[in-house]
Amino acid sequence: IENLPGQNLLSKKEREIFFESLYPYFYFGTNEILGLIKYPYKFIYKKNMELFDIYKDPEEKNKLQDRGKIKNFKSILVTLLKWKKFHLWMKKEKRNCPVWAI
């Protein structure tokens, strides 16, 4: 495994990881699940937003109630989604896509 290219996403480096699941949309007709991991926090954006400290609570049993952090994560996620939609539009229109990363 040491010789494989890439980075260990489980490391505690400062980074933001966007994730999404379309499973609920396709199989249950409900909204997709979106989220963002910014260590040590994991934010899940769905009908009932959830925030976890994955360092202290790796099994995600205890939701955090910090409204300030939830608002901040929601803002970051909305910005990411705007960039994602823009990127997909650029690709559809066969224009040069800007490189973007967090």
Side-chain angles (χ1 to χ4, degrees):
I1 292 178
E2 293 86 23
N3 297 328
L4 294 176
Q7 296 180 12
N8 178 0
L9 296 179
L10 299 176
S11 70
K12 297 176 183 173
K13 285 186 176 180
E14 181 67 30
R15 70 170 58 103
E16 295 170 349
I17 302 169
F18 168 78
F19 63 89
E20 65 182 331
S21 173
L22 298 175
Y23 185 87
Y25 175 78
F26 287 116
Y27 290 95
F28 304 113
T30 61
N31 291 337
E32 69 275 18
I33 295 174
L34 307 170
L36 187 65
I37 298 172
K38 185 174 180 182
Y39 193 82
Y41 300 105
K42 179 179 180 181
F43 174 69
I44 302 171
Y45 184 80
K46 55 183 188 172
K47 184 177 181 181
N48 298 318
M49 293 180 276
E50 299 175 343
L51 180 66
F52 299 97
D53 184 327
I54 56 177
Y55 179 75
K56 294 178 182 174
D57 180 23
E59 294 179 6
E60 300 175 13
K61 292 184 177 182
N62 302 302
K63 296 179 193 175
L64 300 177
Q65 303 298 323
D66 187 327
R67 292 184 189 270
K69 280 190 176 69
I70 290 171
K71 185 177 179 182
N72 184 42
F73 272 94
K74 184 178 176 184
S75 174
I76 293 168
L77 194 57
V78 166
T79 302
L80 277 174
L81 291 174
K82 286 179 184 176
W83 273 105
K84 181 181 173 189
K85 286 180 184 178
F86 174 73
H87 179 73
L88 292 174
W89 175 80
M90 293 285 283
K91 193 173 184 179
K92 179 182 168 190
E93 297 293 320
K94 296 185 175 59
R95 300 176 188 221
N96 292 329
C97 295
V99 176
W100 60 278
I102 297 174

